[in-house]
Amino acid sequence: MMQRFLLLLALFSVASYASPERPTVSGPQHLQIPVPSGERLDYVRYPAKGNIRLIWVSSERGQGEAESLAASRLAERGVEVWMIDLTFSYMLDAGRRGLDHVPPADMRALLSLAGRDKKLAVVALGRAAVPLLRAYGSWQKQEGRPQQLDFVLVHPNLYEEAEPLQEVRYLELGNLAGGHLYIMQPRHSAGIAWLDRQAEALRKEGAVVNDEVLERVREGFWARQDASAYEVEMSQKLGDLIWARLAKETKP
């Protein structure tokens, strides 16, 4: 009898310390989305209670630890993140051109689903900007297209050909009216030479474009094996960089 009493007392003591009103923090969740091509896109969801959902698409380099850290920090700020590695989901070649083959209809389905119950924004690294912008550009006035969609593009590669001393040829991305694009371009990259022309080409497609140069870093600084000490520091602050630009472009 005494043993039973002591057990009940212990259970009561534990329960008294567990406040039912204390918010629980959910960790990352590995999920899938079926898309029109028949594929199932793998993604990692970082849940948050805010009213912004961010689609984060990794570059042709694949997904790195700095991106996971950034997603966690954005979730702490109330931004829910869906992190996707398209190269992995579609088993694409790791080179820059592989992401060009992602079906726009699949990305439209992704954006439509993600934007149903929260304000939507997109972060795309490197060549991953291409399938996301093509999806928005080909959406036109079809059902579910956001009147405004905010993109933060880190070192976007949007050209067909870009050779020294030659005219740059940009990809056709469609009607980007309603797209608000914030481009972050590393100073030490080939693309810095064409930053102004790239922004102008996007404006001709109807987008609102702002850009910024990231000093002292190279393209792909967040995932480089030969990263400098400063690039490592910046990669650890990637979530803060994105948050600052997202706050400029997105009004909660």
Side-chain angles (χ1 to χ4, degrees), residues 98 152 237:
V152 178
K237 295 179 179 179

Side-chain angles (χ1 to χ4, degrees), residues 167-168 170-179 181 196-209:
E167 186 67 25
V168 181
Y170 290 98
L171 295 167
E172 294 184 6
L173 300 171
N175 177 16
L176 297 179
L181 281 53
D196 291 340
R197 279 175 284 178
Q198 179 175 252
E200 185 58 30
L202 291 167
R203 292 187 184 105
K204 288 180 179 179
E205 299 291 343
V208 175
V209 183

Side-chain angles (χ1 to χ4, degrees), residues 43 61 94 100 128 141 159 162-163 170 181 184 187 203 220:
Y43 73 103
R61 295 173 179 264
D100 294 5
K141 296 182 179 180
Y159 41 77
E163 298 295 336
Y170 290 98
L181 281 53
M184 295 195 294
R187 169 68 70 184
R203 292 187 184 105

Side-chain angles (χ1 to χ4, degrees), residues 30-60:
H30 293 262
L31 303 169
Q32 289 185 328
I33 303 172
V35 287
S37 67
E39 298 287 346
R40 300 184 69 86
L41 299 184
D42 296 278
Y43 73 103
V44 181
R45 175 177 177 262
Y46 294 79
K49 294 185 178 180
N51 65 343
I52 299 174
R53 177 173 291 131
L54 182 65
I55 299 293
W56 181 300
V57 189
S58 299
S59 76
E60 61 275 19

Side-chain angles (χ1 to χ4, degrees), residues 188-229:
H188 302 297
S189 62
I192 195 71
W194 304 299
L195 181 58
D196 291 340
R197 279 175 284 178
Q198 179 175 252
E200 185 58 30
L202 291 167
R203 292 187 184 105
K204 288 180 179 179
E205 299 291 343
V208 175
V209 183
N210 293 290
D211 55 59
E212 175 184 4
V213 175
L214 300 179
E215 301 292 348
R216 298 175 58 192
V217 295
R218 294 168 290 174
E219 58 186 80
F221 67 90
W222 58 89
R224 297 186 73 99
Q225 294 184 350
D226 63 343
S228 67

Side-chain angles (χ1 to χ4, degrees), residues 82-200:
W82 290 9
M83 183 167 284
I84 300 176
D85 183 350
L86 294 176
T87 300
F88 172 80
S89 289
Y90 287 95
M91 300 182 67
L92 300 170
D93 293 337
R96 180 170 61 87
R97 298 284 184 178
L99 288 168
D100 294 5
H101 303 295
V102 174
D106 286 3
M107 296 298 95
R108 289 196 301 269
L110 167 65
L111 295 174
S112 180
L113 175 65
R116 284 181 182 176
D117 58 344
K118 292 192 178 189
K119 181 173 177 59
L120 184 62
V122 174
V123 166
L125 308 184
R127 193 72 171 187
V130 171
L132 273 298
L133 290 175
R134 276 180 170 165
Y136 191 69
S138 63
W139 208 333
Q140 300 299 323
K141 296 182 179 180
Q142 299 173 26
E143 184 178 356
R145 185 186 196 270
Q147 292 185 353
Q148 177 179 324
L149 185 56
D150 302 306
F151 294 81
V152 178
L153 308 178
V154 186
H155 180 55
N157 298 322
L158 304 178
Y159 41 77
E160 288 184 8
E161 298 292 340
E163 298 295 336
L165 305 179
Q166 294 185 13
E167 186 67 25
V168 181
R169 294 188 309 191
Y170 290 98
L171 295 167
E172 294 184 6
L173 300 171
N175 177 16
L176 297 179
H180 286 214
L181 281 53
Y182 197 100
I183 298 174
M184 295 195 294
Q185 185 67 44
R187 169 68 70 184
H188 302 297
S189 62
I192 195 71
W194 304 299
L195 181 58
D196 291 340
R197 279 175 284 178
Q198 179 175 252
E200 185 58 30

